[in-house]
């Protein structure tokens, strides 16, 4: 029996599902496109898409499955949903920030959040930051939080200096 992930995020695109899946798969090390379906004549009076055009793209990013749907212009992405990318090092933060933010709106970058060129929101989160804000010493955790609020891309060293009271 085929194993199917119980919950799979479905991302609604106007017509860029395959382009987006390829873009994301090029950024994450453990990523692949697993299936592509196409629109047929059945239901064309409802979907209005060209017969043979891409309907869905199934893909995986680090073991998380996604579906990209070319559903048309009816719906667009907003910040109410975002994907967190947990990073161990500044090098990882820099990699994911640089690649995912490429072509996205600069004005949407704040506190580790960005929008990619398709309008999808991402949070590029250093694991160290999560540890800092969970620290029982509220003075330390609040200093780290305040430092984060002034950043676009998160800087682990600067967050650590703030947490330690050195900035």
């Amino acid at each position: 029996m085929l194993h199917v992930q119980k919950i799979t995020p479905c991302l609604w695109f106007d017509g860029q599902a395959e382009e987006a899946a390829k873009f994301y798969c090029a950024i994450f090390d453990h990523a692949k496109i697993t299936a592509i379906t196409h629109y047929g004549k059945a239901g064309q009076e409802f979907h209005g898409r060209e017969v043979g055009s891409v309907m869905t793209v199934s893909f995986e990013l680090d073991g998380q499955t996604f579906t990209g749907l070319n559903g048309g212009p009816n719906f667009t992405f907003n910040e109410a949903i975002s994907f967190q990318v947990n990073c161990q090092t500044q090098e990882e933060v820099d990699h994911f920030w640089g690649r995912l933010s490429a072509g996205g709106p600069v004005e949407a970058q704040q506190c580790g959040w960005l929008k990619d060129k398709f309008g999808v929101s991402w949070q590029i989160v250093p694991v160290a930051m999560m540890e800092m804000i969970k620290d029982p010493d509220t003075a330390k955790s609040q200093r780290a939080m305040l430092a984060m609020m002034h950043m676009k891309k998160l800087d682990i060293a600067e967050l650590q200096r703030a947490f330690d009271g050195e900035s």
Side-chain angles (χ1 to χ4, degrees):
M1 179 189 284
L2 177 67
H3 172 74
V4 177
Q5 184 169 294
K6 186 63 86 175
I7 299 172
T8 299
C10 180
L11 306 175
W12 181 295
F13 295 92
D14 185 6
Q16 313 89 344
E18 187 174 13
E19 178 188 350
K22 288 177 179 177
F23 176 73
Y24 301 140
C25 286
I27 294 171
F28 288 83
D29 288 337
H30 306 286
K32 62 185 175 184
I33 292 175
T34 57
I36 299 176
T37 64
H38 298 86
Y39 281 102
K41 287 185 179 185
Q44 192 174 26
E45 67 274 15
F46 299 106
H47 61 69
R49 308 301 280 193
E50 183 179 330
V51 172
S53 65
V54 172
M55 181 171 64
T56 65
V57 180
S58 298
F59 59 102
E60 292 181 13
L61 305 177
D62 279 330
Q64 171 67 52
T65 61
F66 293 84
T67 299
L69 167 68
N70 284 328
N74 306 48
F75 303 106
T76 57
F77 298 110
N78 68 47
E79 296 80 1
I81 296 289
S82 63
F83 297 107
Q84 284 184 308
V85 180
N86 297 307
C87 301
Q88 296 293 336
T89 65
Q90 188 65 48
E91 181 179 67
E92 274 191 297
V93 169
D94 295 346
H95 167 77
F96 288 110
W97 185 273
R99 298 290 301 276
L100 287 167
S101 67
V106 175
E107 62 276 8
Q109 299 175 357
Q110 185 62 40
C111 305
W113 289 61
L114 63 87
K115 274 189 179 185
D116 67 28
K117 64 184 178 179
F118 302 102
V120 176
S121 293
W122 298 82
Q123 297 176 58
I124 310 304
V125 182
V127 172
M129 175 65 195
M130 300 309 293
E131 293 302 316
M132 289 178 212
I133 63 174
K134 291 189 308 187
D135 193 282
D137 184 332
T138 57
K140 288 180 166 185
S141 65
Q142 291 301 297
R143 286 193 304 262
M145 180 64 85
L146 182 60
M148 179 197 69
M149 298 301 284
H150 293 282
M151 296 179 185
K152 288 185 178 204
K153 177 179 73 173
L154 300 185
D155 180 318
I156 297 171
E158 185 59 35
L159 291 166
Q160 188 66 53
R161 282 190 288 278
F163 179 80
D164 294 337
E166 297 172 2
S167 64

